[in-house]
Amino acid sequence: MTNQIRNPNDETVFVRYFCLIGASIAGSAICWWAAGNSLGLFFGGLFIATFLAPAAVLGRRKVVPAMIGLAAVAGPVAAVWLAAVFRTHGTIAQWFETIWVLSAYALAIGAIALVLAAMRFPEIFAAAVAIVIGVAWLTWPVWLSSNLVNRGATRIVNDLVKVHPPLVINGILINEPAWTERSIAYHLTDLNQDVPVALPSGPAACVAVHALIGLGLWAVAWGMAKRAGRLYSLENPLFREES
């Protein structure tokens, strides 16, 4: 009877999940402490997903462990959001809609890191690029809106608002004042100042766009790894087999 050689990464899989859960809980606690039951708590949850989603999927050879990793990141954020929704007289339906936005967004960010790793970029580089793209996307109303307005691209601005996770969540949480109408926004963005915008009333467009990006890039990453014939192509780099 022969002994089966185990992949050393399997021994640490649960440790990785616990680390992701712990980091997500810590980040959510900091957001709660800093923002309380406010819109800022939801914005903070999206940033938590941005920083942790790459770590949730990189080093995962199969789809199911990667999805569990994303759930480990989104789960604590979702729990904190549920408490915040109840405290602000929201509804379960609104909470579910915000979770759809969070999940689709996390899937897209993780997929960006995954496809870069499949292209044989170092995984730390892949994670860093995915995080930078995520932060840039979340903050575009601050750094991009004025340039678009000056170029007369108001239609593009409104299209971006429809699929922008923070503003979509703002539109879902009807009990929360619009971020663009708050005093801090007047110093950060041109939205609803030089260009009128309407917050999205539902998450459908946002979820669809991010899910399509995430699933599409995910399929590309798996296809590239399969063609390369690398058994551990998305596992620990020490155990990769060169094609």
Side-chain angles (χ1 to χ4, degrees):
M1 183 176 180
T2 59
N3 294 325
Q4 184 178 5
I5 298 177
R6 294 184 302 171
N7 177 8
N9 293 300
D10 294 337
E11 300 177 358
T12 61
V13 63
F14 290 107
V15 175
R16 294 183 181 184
Y17 292 149
F18 283 125
C19 288
L20 289 171
I21 292 172
S24 184
I25 291 174
S28 298
I30 292 173
C31 291
W32 186 288
W33 171 79
N37 297 319
S38 69
L39 190 62
L41 177 65
F42 291 84
F43 287 6
L46 292 170
F47 279 96
I48 292 171
T50 302
F51 287 105
L52 296 182
V57 299
L58 292 176
R60 303 293 189 270
R61 180 164 51 93
K62 298 180 180 179
V63 174
V64 172
M67 290 297 181
I68 295 175
L70 289 177
V73 171
V77 175
V80 172
W81 284 6
L82 179 61
V85 166
F86 281 145
R87 288 173 177 263
T88 55
H89 307 289
T91 66
I92 288 292
Q94 291 173 348
W95 177 72
F96 272 115
E97 289 180 342
T98 63
I99 298 310
W100 278 113
V101 174
L102 173 67
S103 301
Y105 172 74
L107 178 69
I109 295 300
I112 293 171
L114 203 61
V115 77
L116 289 172
M119 293 169 65
R120 298 195 178 191
F121 286 104
E123 291 182 351
I124 190 170
F125 174 81
V129 170
I131 291 171
V132 169
I133 291 174
V135 171
W137 172 229
L138 293 181
T139 60
W140 77 261
V142 174
W143 60 269
L144 182 61
S145 60
S146 61
N147 291 328
L148 291 176
V149 171
N150 292 336
R151 295 175 182 271
T154 56
R155 182 174 179 179
I156 294 177
V157 171
N158 280 278
D159 288 340
L160 291 177
V161 168
K162 293 176 183 177
V163 295
H164 186 240
L167 296 180
V168 170
I169 289 178
N170 193 179
I172 293 170
L173 301 175
I174 57 177
N175 293 325
E176 284 288 328
W179 176 77
T180 54
E181 297 177 0
R182 303 189 182 205
S183 58
I184 189 174
Y186 284 98
H187 304 285
L188 297 177
T189 183
D190 287 342
L191 300 184
N192 274 342
Q193 297 180 50
D194 296 329
V195 55
V197 297
L199 293 177
S201 58
C206 178
V207 171
V209 167
H210 288 85
L212 286 174
I213 293 173
L215 294 175
L217 292 180
W218 207 294
V220 170
W222 296 144
M224 293 175 64
K226 186 176 181 179
R227 285 195 301 272
R230 291 173 289 158
L231 180 60
Y232 296 107
S233 60
L234 297 176
E235 286 285 353
N236 191 313
L238 294 177
F239 298 95
R240 289 183 175 175
E241 294 180 2
E242 299 295 338
S243 58

